[in-house]
Amino acid sequence: MPVRILIIENNKAVAQDLASRLGRFGYEVAGICTSGSKAMQTIKELEPDLIVMNTRLQKGMDGIQTGKLVRAKHNIPIVYMAQVAGQSTIQQSKSAGPFGYLFLPFSDKQIFTTLEIALLRNRYEKEIQRQAERAQMLVLSAEQFNSNLDFKTVLNTICVLTHRTLKASATGMFLLNAQKDTYSQVEFISKVVSLQKYKELHFELPISFVNSFLSTKKQILVVEDIKRVKRDLPYAQMIRDENIQSVVIVGVFHQKVLLGVLVSSFIKPPKSLQNADLDLLRGLADQAAIAITNANLFKQVQIGREYQRKLAKSIVNVQEEERRHIARELHDHLGQVLTGLQFMLENTKNQTGDKQRTGIEEIQKAIGEVIGQVREMSLNLRPSMLDDMGLLPTLQWHVERFELQTGIHVNFKGYNHEGRFPQEIETAAYRIVQEALTNVARYAKVKEVFVGLLVQEETLWIEILDQGAGFHQSVDTNKPTSGLSGMRERASLVGGYIIIESFINQGTQIVAALPLTNKPLERRKIERNHGRAGR
């Protein structure tokens, strides 16, 4: 295909002479413009490969001003014509990015040599620019693939990068659906208004069709003129309706397995793809295969973790239900039986002599102690008031009971909230406070502890703070025997989290955040003074 050259010259004789010479050299004259403004209006339509322009145009903008606009908007190489071969001409045109100079009167040899050097330089500069863009594209794609393992995001990134690389009209991503023996569309991108309607449709390509032209040895198929394809094509009517001219299909292989295909379509045929462009597509496809595999693995891990979380949550719920059942049995059944025995012994005692009465009193005392132990066991398993009255009254009762049992004063601050919380939140909150106070009694060696609750931004905040013995932060608080791990698990199972800070001889702070919605909380870095519940 001959090189197309646009001449911008207000002297008609000079322009016609130059056009004649260019024709003899095998170049194609795309057009002749007599002014810079006229040239700027027609450049996009003419699409020249090179411009030859006089530095001094008589109408409107001169050649230097026009050259700056051309380079800024169209990036077309320019060879300047001038009357005088002087330093002033060269200095003036430097800012417009000249690719060469023709000085009047010019010879055939000067014209041919200057233009060929300009075209060669432009070709090399474009190739260097393309290579830099390809390298940048591969680096960008690697960064984007490595920065996100979300499956949907990975697929969209693959589509966007391929679409941008090919400058396509539309690009779709198809993944293998082994159950249907098809490759199903999972992503679609297009900025062409008439094609955007296909984003919501579901397209499928038969496996047999795709495997007939793609393999590990032939990873890319370029169809420059789809009208010449004789075989039956999927969605042939749509291709004709939308005037699709060309198609590029890229296979995404991982360990010789075709995971999916990228299909880019063109309403206007693309400029012929070079080997370097195809290498870039292969590089993108290879990165995409790794990203899809990693995203799949991550998705499976997420599903496994979610299943594990639900299983653990189910186990905890079963445990709580079993505790509730046992506590009621102890209180209602065994407690009533023991109380009935007390009444029976009391009646018997009144009907016997002094010697038998003393023995019966001993038995009554023992039964009274058993009743107290049963009541204590029932309360420790699960206080019924947690189900009947809610979190705050239960914690107030627990705090009073804790103070009586340990002699440790609890500075308790309740939350600013009316009504009940979800049952699983109330249970988790109660167990966290219960375990934290147990640890204070066992290890803190203090006479006072702060317990606060606060409702803020649909989150229940709990803080337990003491100024006691503390422990080293290096201690593994996730050990099953630590008690702290149980609190972490309780918070995690309801979508919350716990932050624990402790220092030797300074004390320990436990802050728990529990969501009051079904949406899990994102763990945020909290300043020591931020979010202290109730203070």
Side-chain angles (χ1 to χ4, degrees):
M1 190 174 179
V3 175
R4 293 168 53 79
I5 298 177
L6 173 64
I7 299 172
I8 306 176
E9 168 62 67
N10 50 259
N11 188 318
K12 292 184 179 180
V14 173
Q16 291 295 336
D17 177 52
L18 181 59
S20 177
R21 296 194 194 197
L22 293 178
R24 292 202 303 271
F25 296 147
Y27 301 122
E28 179 186 338
V29 177
I32 299 175
C33 294
T34 58
S35 67
S37 58
K38 180 66 176 176
M40 293 304 298
Q41 293 173 8
T42 59
I43 281 176
K44 189 173 181 180
E45 177 186 344
L46 297 175
E47 293 186 345
D49 300 305
L50 179 72
I51 293 174
V52 179
M53 179 168 54
N54 196 331
T55 56
R56 296 184 179 181
L57 299 173
Q58 294 177 357
K59 296 180 181 179
M61 299 183 294
D62 64 19
I64 307 301
Q65 292 172 318
T66 304
K68 289 180 180 178
L69 284 176
V70 170
R71 295 293 292 165
K73 292 187 175 182
H74 303 287
N75 196 27
I76 300 173
I78 301 173
V79 171
Y80 290 96
M81 295 185 293
Q83 296 286 339
V84 181
Q87 287 295 324
S88 61
T89 301
I90 295 174
Q91 290 297 328
Q92 289 174 7
S93 62
K94 269 186 177 180
S95 60
F99 275 67
Y101 298 92
L102 293 174
F103 297 102
L104 293 171
F106 34 66
S107 65
D108 288 353
K109 182 178 180 180
Q110 179 192 3
I111 294 172
F112 184 76
T113 303
T114 302
L115 296 188
E116 285 299 310
I117 290 174
L119 290 168
L120 186 63
R121 174 187 161 189
N122 183 56
R123 190 157 55 246
Y124 284 150
E125 285 188 1
K126 283 188 174 180
E127 181 57 30
I128 291 171
Q129 183 180 1
R130 278 196 294 267
Q131 289 180 358
E133 289 174 352
R134 293 181 193 116
Q136 185 179 12
M137 181 71 72
L138 288 174
V139 171
L140 175 64
S141 64
E143 288 177 351
Q144 292 187 2
F145 288 146
N146 292 330
S147 64
N148 200 313
L149 288 173
D150 177 69
F151 195 67
K152 184 70 175 175
T153 304
V154 167
L155 295 178
N156 179 260
T157 302
I158 295 169
C159 241
V160 168
L161 293 175
T162 305
H163 190 74
R164 188 185 305 167
T165 301
L166 293 173
K167 298 179 175 63
S169 302
T171 299
M173 178 78 198
F174 295 76
L175 287 185
L176 177 64
N177 187 335
Q179 294 178 343
K180 292 186 176 182
D181 282 340
T182 63
Y183 291 93
S184 301
Q185 180 178 302
V186 292
E187 193 64 49
F188 180 86
I189 292 175
S190 178
K191 291 185 178 180
V192 180
V193 175
S194 62
L195 298 179
Q196 289 176 357
K197 59 189 175 187
Y198 297 108
K199 182 176 178 64
E200 303 303 324
L201 300 181
H202 182 73
F203 295 100
E204 292 184 341
L205 301 176
I207 285 180
S208 57
F209 173 78
V210 175
N211 291 349
S212 66
F213 53 78
L214 286 185
S215 66
T216 52
K217 293 182 179 179
K218 189 177 181 182
Q219 191 176 353
I220 300 174
L221 176 69
V222 180
V223 183
E224 293 184 354
D225 187 355
I226 203 165
K227 294 177 182 177
R228 294 185 179 181
V229 178
K230 295 181 179 180
R231 64 185 296 176
D232 291 334
L233 296 175
Y235 311 107
Q237 186 60 48
M238 183 201 72
I239 292 172
R240 287 191 293 269
D241 292 344
E242 299 300 340
N243 197 28
I244 303 297
Q245 302 293 316
S246 306
V247 172
V248 175
I249 303 176
V250 185
V252 180
F253 288 88
H254 181 68
Q255 296 180 350
K256 297 184 179 180
V257 176
L258 185 57
L259 301 178
V261 290
L262 286 154
V263 180
S264 290
S265 57
F266 302 82
I267 293 177
K268 185 177 181 180
K271 294 182 179 179
S272 59
L273 294 172
Q274 301 178 7
N275 288 333
D277 297 316
L278 298 180
D279 289 340
L280 173 59
L281 283 177
R282 290 188 188 94
L284 285 174
D286 291 343
Q287 289 184 350
I290 295 171
I292 289 172
T293 303
N294 290 341
N296 262 324
L297 291 172
F298 182 68
K299 188 176 181 180
Q300 291 173 16
V301 170
Q302 281 186 314
I303 292 172
R305 286 179 176 173
E306 180 62 18
Y307 175 78
Q308 186 180 33
R309 189 189 72 83
K310 287 182 177 178
L311 180 60
K313 187 175 180 180
S314 177
I315 292 172
V316 168
N317 289 339
V318 169
Q319 288 175 340
E320 286 295 334
E321 185 60 36
E322 189 65 21
R323 284 186 173 194
R324 184 185 293 110
H325 174 72
I326 295 173
R328 285 176 179 171
E329 285 294 314
L330 287 173
H331 180 271
D332 297 341
H333 181 68
L334 188 56
Q336 289 177 9
V337 170
L338 291 172
T339 303
L341 287 174
Q342 281 278 46
F343 282 118
M344 291 170 63
L345 288 171
E346 183 66 28
N347 290 333
T348 304
K349 182 176 67 175
N350 295 329
Q351 299 173 12
T352 58
D354 293 340
K355 188 174 182 180
Q356 288 94 346
R357 187 179 292 112
T358 302
I360 292 174
E361 287 176 351
E362 291 295 326
I363 295 173
Q364 283 184 303
K365 182 178 179 183
I367 291 176
E369 291 175 356
V370 172
I371 291 174
Q373 292 171 3
V374 167
R375 186 178 293 111
E376 190 69 19
M377 289 171 61
S378 175
L379 293 172
N380 288 334
L381 279 169
R382 183 180 177 88
S384 59
M385 65 186 307
L386 183 60
D387 299 313
D388 300 333
M389 302 180 67
L391 178 62
L392 188 58
T394 306
L395 284 179
Q396 290 171 333
W397 162 83
H398 182 75
V399 163
E400 293 173 1
R401 182 164 164 261
F402 175 82
E403 290 178 328
L404 289 173
Q405 291 174 337
T406 64
I408 300 173
H409 174 65
V410 180
N411 181 9
F412 181 71
K413 301 292 183 182
Y415 45 76
N416 53 337
H417 179 80
E418 294 182 1
R420 298 286 298 270
F421 299 124
Q423 186 181 75
E424 60 180 10
I425 296 296
E426 292 190 336
T427 299
Y430 174 74
R431 294 301 183 195
I432 288 170
V433 174
Q434 182 186 42
E435 184 60 43
L437 289 178
T438 300
N439 285 343
V440 169
R442 288 177 179 173
Y443 310 116
K445 300 177 182 178
V446 293
K447 294 296 182 183
E448 184 176 6
V449 60
F450 171 81
V451 176
L453 289 88
L454 175 69
V455 177
Q456 192 174 43
E457 298 177 356
E458 297 185 319
T459 301
L460 174 61
W461 295 87
I462 304 169
E463 182 185 18
I464 302 95
L465 177 66
D466 69 72
Q467 297 178 342
F471 56 85
H472 283 290
Q473 293 281 55
S474 59
V475 172
D476 187 1
T477 59
N478 289 314
K479 288 182 178 180
T481 57
S482 69
L484 298 176
S485 64
M487 287 189 280
R488 289 187 191 277
E489 185 178 2
R490 288 277 185 180
S492 176
L493 289 176
V494 295
Y497 59 86
I498 282 183
I499 296 175
I500 300 172
E501 292 184 356
S502 186
F503 301 92
I504 294 295
N505 296 326
Q506 295 185 41
T508 301
Q509 182 194 40
I510 298 173
V511 175
L514 307 180
L516 299 179
T517 63
N518 292 327
K519 185 178 180 181
L521 296 175
E522 292 183 9
R523 178 160 180 164
R524 293 166 286 183
K525 185 176 179 182
I526 303 174
E527 299 291 340
R528 190 171 179 86
N529 290 328
H530 174 70
R532 288 191 173 184
R535 289 190 290 160

